[in-house]
Amino acid sequence: MAGDISSTMSQSSTSSAPSSSRILYDIPCKVCQDHSSGKHYGIFACDGCAGFFKRSVRRSRQYACKSKRGGTCIVDKTHRNQCRACRLAKCLGAGMNKDAVQHERGPRNSTLRRQLAQMLKESPSMGAPSQLSSHQVPVPLSLAPLPPLSEEVTCEVAAQLLFMNVRWARQVGAFSALSLYDRLILLVESWRELFVLGASVMLPPLTSLTNAPGTRGFRSAVEGVAMITPDEHELACLRAIVLFQPRNRLSDPRAVAALQENAQTVLSKYVTMVYPDKPFRLRNLMMLLPLLKLVPASSIEELFFRKTIGDIPIERIISDMYRKEEKES
């Protein structure tokens, strides 16, 4: 395993080996034909067009076409930012649903995504305030329960979850401050546990996968998390604890250990403040962490990714995903 990860670290993002594109980027955006990142508001779309559509709908934007002939502007990967009127018209024409934007569940506090770095960069010795404010709670990963789906769509959702986990890690300021080497180690070592945590909220019942190898262990772990019903901020803290696990091969294991300790402290204070009538809740939440490790990575790969990517190591997929995100940011 260590050899596989080490080779992954050293590989260039231009490696000839197939990368994460085989999971997430084969389907083009119906608006601009760039690589899609999954379904957004009813159609396969890239993050750029999905974000543009959401902003336009939420702000009730009315755009004027820049073309003299009106409505004839080219909307593709290269020209999609040149005319917002035509881009919005193409979003609607491609099938994007305004109602899906209006009913979308957003973050409870828009500052949460910007403030995790402050919480995690504090030294544990500094202590914490007696009251928790919103910026001290780790950034949630916005997920929503899904109904039962076909095996094909379930695997597609699983691929999106893998991608979302990588993006979530990039939003953690303290994570981005680490060396690239350490970031990749933390990601490839924690992807299995992060996936199970996300699956406990996002993935539908695996009705189409009941006979597949590894289903029972995976379902047991997911149901174990669901039984505790952690809220979105507790899940965010658990994710930070999972991500910042000290590893022997890290260049700065002490820094990572301090970050994990801070995440544990925040979780403890949050649970004490929000659930004062549940004295065993923190213990139950922490007991979920060893449960996540009981699901073999090979079982998750077999359940959700083998038919799509073949024998490509998930570690390589994640490494390529992260490098691509870093390059495009």
Side-chain angles (χ1 to χ4, degrees):
M1 178 64 176
D4 292 340
I5 297 175
S6 298
S7 63
T8 298
M9 303 298 176
S10 63
Q11 282 192 350
S12 166
S13 58
T14 57
S15 169
S16 60
S19 70
S20 56
S21 61
R22 290 191 60 181
I23 295 182
L24 297 165
Y25 302 109
D26 282 350
I27 303 176
C29 171
K30 291 189 67 176
V31 179
C32 71
Q33 300 304 304
D34 196 359
H35 296 302
S36 75
S37 59
K39 280 196 173 181
H40 302 277
Y41 312 121
I43 68 170
F44 283 96
C46 65
D47 287 333
C49 288
F52 165 78
F53 183 72
K54 177 172 69 174
R55 292 190 299 271
S56 299
V57 172
R58 287 187 172 174
R59 299 172 186 174
S60 301
R61 297 293 193 190
Q62 299 292 327
Y63 304 121
C65 180
K66 295 184 177 182
S67 172
K68 294 182 179 179
R69 292 183 290 176
T72 60
C73 299
I74 297 174
V75 181
D76 57 19
K77 180 179 178 180
T78 304
H79 304 89
R80 63 191 178 196
N81 293 320
Q82 293 185 1
C83 180
R84 292 177 292 181
C86 288
R87 189 181 190 183
L88 180 58
K90 192 165 183 182
C91 287
L92 293 169
M96 279 194 175
N97 185 355
K98 286 186 176 182
D99 290 337
V101 175
Q102 300 294 357
H103 293 103
E104 182 180 49
R105 184 181 69 180
R108 297 169 72 177
N109 188 323
S110 60
T111 64
L112 290 174
R113 293 184 179 277
R114 299 191 299 269
Q115 299 298 334
L116 180 61
Q118 179 178 345
M119 182 278 296
L120 289 178
K121 282 181 179 178
E122 296 175 351
S123 169
S125 62
M126 294 173 60
S130 58
Q131 294 291 325
L132 284 177
S133 59
S134 61
H135 74 269
Q136 294 173 285
V137 181
V139 54
L141 178 65
S142 297
L143 300 173
L146 297 174
L149 304 171
S150 67
E151 178 178 354
E152 179 180 0
V153 178
T154 297
C155 292
E156 176 192 318
V157 172
Q160 292 179 25
L161 177 57
L162 198 69
F163 181 64
M164 291 167 67
N165 283 335
V166 172
R167 285 205 156 177
W168 170 82
R170 290 189 68 245
Q171 294 174 2
V172 180
F175 179 79
S176 300
L178 298 172
S179 69
L180 176 61
Y181 176 79
D182 282 356
R183 278 177 275 160
L184 290 176
I185 288 179
L186 293 176
L187 275 175
V188 300
E189 293 283 357
S190 65
W191 77 264
R192 171 189 56 174
E193 295 148 88
L194 292 175
F195 185 90
V196 176
L197 278 174
S200 68
V201 179
M202 188 177 181
L203 288 180
L206 305 180
T207 53
S208 59
L209 304 176
T210 51
N211 295 322
T215 302
R216 180 176 299 177
F218 179 80
R219 289 182 67 109
S220 296
V222 168
E223 290 169 359
V225 177
M227 186 179 300
I228 305 299
T229 62
D231 66 32
E232 61 178 350
H233 295 308
E234 290 170 327
L235 276 172
C237 289
L238 289 173
R239 293 170 66 79
I241 292 170
V242 166
L243 179 65
F244 292 117
Q245 294 184 63
R247 312 284 180 178
N248 292 331
R249 295 183 297 111
L250 291 169
S251 63
D252 195 354
R254 290 185 178 181
V256 173
L259 294 173
Q260 186 186 61
E261 183 176 346
N262 273 8
Q264 292 171 338
T265 299
V266 171
L267 176 60
S268 175
K269 290 184 175 293
Y270 175 82
V271 172
T272 300
M273 183 185 73
V274 179
Y275 300 99
D277 58 334
K278 297 182 179 180
F280 301 110
R281 185 170 182 83
L282 178 62
R283 183 198 65 181
N284 292 336
L285 288 169
M286 295 302 294
M287 287 177 62
L288 294 176
L289 297 176
L291 178 65
L292 303 176
K293 297 179 181 292
L294 296 180
V295 183
S298 58
S299 295
I300 298 176
E301 293 175 3
E302 190 67 35
L303 281 171
F304 300 107
F305 302 112
R306 190 71 67 208
K307 291 183 179 179
T308 308
I309 66 173
D311 294 325
I312 304 174
I314 291 294
E315 291 81 7
R316 181 179 298 173
I317 297 289
I318 292 172
S319 177
D320 286 348
M321 281 184 184
Y322 190 83
R323 290 176 186 275
K324 179 179 175 66
E325 288 285 297
E326 288 284 284
K327 184 177 180 181
E328 293 181 351
S329 62

